[in-house]
Amino acid sequence: MKKQAKISNAVIKRLPRYRRYLKELRKKGVDKISSNEFSTLIGYTASQIRQDLNNFGGFGQQGYGYSVDGLYHEISAILGLDKQYKMVVVGAGNLGQAIVNHTYYYKSGFIVSAIFEVNPKLIGLRINDIEVMDYENIVEYVEENEIDIGIICTTMDAAQEVADKLCFAGVKGLWNFAPVDIETPGHVAIENVHLTDSLYSLAYHINGAQEHNKK
């Protein structure tokens, strides 16, 4: 597998979709697929698919196409999904609980080790047998348990402070659901997830479709 220093974020964001479709093809017993067949299935052009995959090396064979199983495992390795990650959730409200439940039922190598909360009414509860712990102890816990990822489900005002503590404690990445973009040191990866932005985009597309139908 060839690795380059600079791969565009747009390419990286398409890889999970490739993997998801390949996973379904594996379940159906499909052994190989051409870029044209994959294009029809996934909605990207065949040229786009080939360009994306060529960033990481040549996975296809002329006249054969791609091995579904082989490409699935290659993309899994590129995304780092061939290993496990230990995670903590900060914020045991509705969103935090939903994420804990999601990772519990869709086990894929991302393991929630603990949940942290400032509300004393929630501390001590168990969500899918994972204890809600006092936020005061988060740095010590992350350091001692070598946590890889911190998931932030707090208010906007608390998010940056939580991020700073998690980065200080040694996490490698943050998955931020607070409605604010947070800053991290260069060595800590960050993915800011804005649920309302996605909802607003949906509203635009709904209205755009309606406007198009009026013409």
Side-chain angles (χ1 to χ4, degrees), residues 84-189:
Q84 285 196 335
Y85 298 89
K86 291 192 288 186
M87 311 189 297
V88 295
V89 173
V90 185
N94 292 334
L95 181 56
Q97 292 187 34
I99 289 173
V100 172
N101 286 326
H102 179 82
T103 56
Y104 179 83
Y105 289 113
Y106 297 90
K107 290 184 175 73
S108 57
F110 295 88
I111 310 301
V112 175
S113 300
I115 309 161
F116 289 89
E117 176 59 62
V118 295
N119 185 346
K121 293 180 180 178
L122 297 175
I123 295 170
L125 295 178
R126 300 188 79 84
I127 303 169
N128 279 327
D129 208 31
I130 301 168
E131 183 180 359
V132 179
M133 304 171 68
D134 191 333
Y135 175 67
E136 290 293 320
N137 303 320
I138 192 169
V139 171
E140 181 181 3
Y141 182 92
V142 169
E143 289 177 340
E144 289 181 355
N145 292 276
E146 298 183 341
I147 299 299
D148 301 297
I149 296 172
I151 304 175
I152 301 175
C153 301
T154 66
T155 63
M156 178 190 305
D157 294 338
Q160 186 63 57
E161 179 199 324
V162 170
D164 292 343
K165 277 197 173 186
L166 289 166
C167 292
F168 174 79
V171 298
K172 300 180 181 73
L174 294 175
W175 199 20
N176 173 41
F177 285 86
V180 61
D181 287 341
I182 57 178
E183 298 180 359
T184 61
H187 65 279
V188 177

Side-chain angles (χ1 to χ4, degrees), residues 194-211:
H194 293 293
L195 297 177
T196 51
D197 285 5
S198 180
L199 188 60
Y200 295 161
S201 295
L202 177 61
Y204 169 81
H205 289 300
I206 289 171
N207 288 287
Q210 290 174 343
E211 290 297 320

Side-chain angles (χ1 to χ4, degrees), residues 4-47:
Q4 294 182 350
K6 297 272 188 180
I7 303 294
S8 79
N9 201 41
V11 173
I12 300 302
K13 286 186 177 294
R14 285 193 288 270
L15 292 181
R17 182 173 173 134
Y18 290 142
R19 182 179 180 273
R20 188 169 74 249
Y21 277 81
L22 289 164
K23 185 176 182 178
E24 292 303 313
L25 289 170
R26 291 175 77 220
K27 286 181 181 177
K28 294 175 181 177
V30 178
D31 293 324
K32 64 178 181 178
I33 190 168
S34 69
S35 56
N36 287 326
E37 291 168 335
F38 209 7
S39 170
T40 301
L41 182 67
I42 202 170
Y44 303 142
T45 66
S47 175

